Amino acid sequence: MDGTSKVRPGRTPEEEPGIRVLPAPDGVAVVTVTGDVDLAGAGRLGTAVGQALAAGPAALVVDMRAVTFLDSSGLDQLVEARRACAVAVVPLHVVVAGNRAVERPLEVTGLVAVFTLADSVEAVAETLDATPAADEDHHHDR
């Protein structure tokens, strides 16, 4: 080794982080994240979460199925997103769908127990749709 090797080589275009904020039906905001979420791109995640929360959604979903790399900077932004959602009283769901690039860092750090993980945005929407119905059924049982 010559001492100049890098842990992460330069990014290919597919690894460039991409973040989109989409309002979804029923007031659920979706932040879709693709590529590497590291020091260079993690701040964009925080900005996107802030933008999504500013719209006053009923819930926030961070879709990380297409993330190829997640480092401590990205984890920090997820923790900050959780805090911001708690302050706004907006449930946060993180879609991982078995993506080991996301699941592994969450497991290693113990953060897997902190977040509500899901397999798809649709599964989150179904869960949210089922919650009021379950509450109504509960009221009829009394």
Side-chain angles (χ1 to χ4, degrees):
M1 274 200 189
D2 62 5
T4 60
S5 62
K6 297 178 182 177
V7 175
R8 283 294 282 169
R11 292 182 175 145
T12 65
E14 304 84 52
E15 294 173 326
E16 280 298 321
I19 299 177
R20 289 182 299 148
V21 179
L22 303 171
D26 302 322
V28 177
V30 180
V31 175
T32 303
V33 186
T34 60
D36 289 358
V37 183
D38 56 13
L39 184 59
R44 293 177 53 209
L45 175 57
T47 300
V49 167
Q51 177 185 348
L53 288 176
L60 176 64
V61 177
V62 178
D63 184 351
M64 301 190 79
R65 290 177 288 185
V67 168
T68 53
F69 179 76
L70 177 65
D71 75 359
S72 61
S73 301
L75 290 171
D76 183 52
Q77 288 298 309
L78 280 176
V79 170
E80 289 301 319
R82 184 175 182 275
R83 286 186 190 134
C85 285
V87 168
V89 193
V90 172
L92 171 66
H93 302 268
V94 180
V95 174
V96 294
N99 181 351
R100 294 302 293 162
V102 176
E103 282 184 343
R104 184 73 180 136
L106 290 172
E107 289 168 355
V108 168
T109 59
L111 290 172
V112 71
V114 172
F115 293 101
T116 303
L117 303 180
D119 288 329
S120 70
V121 174
E122 296 77 19
V124 172
E126 288 172 11
T127 301
L128 295 173
D129 287 343
T131 304
D135 289 345
E136 286 177 19
D137 290 344
H138 233 41
H139 293 295
H140 291 132
D141 292 342
R142 292 182 187 171

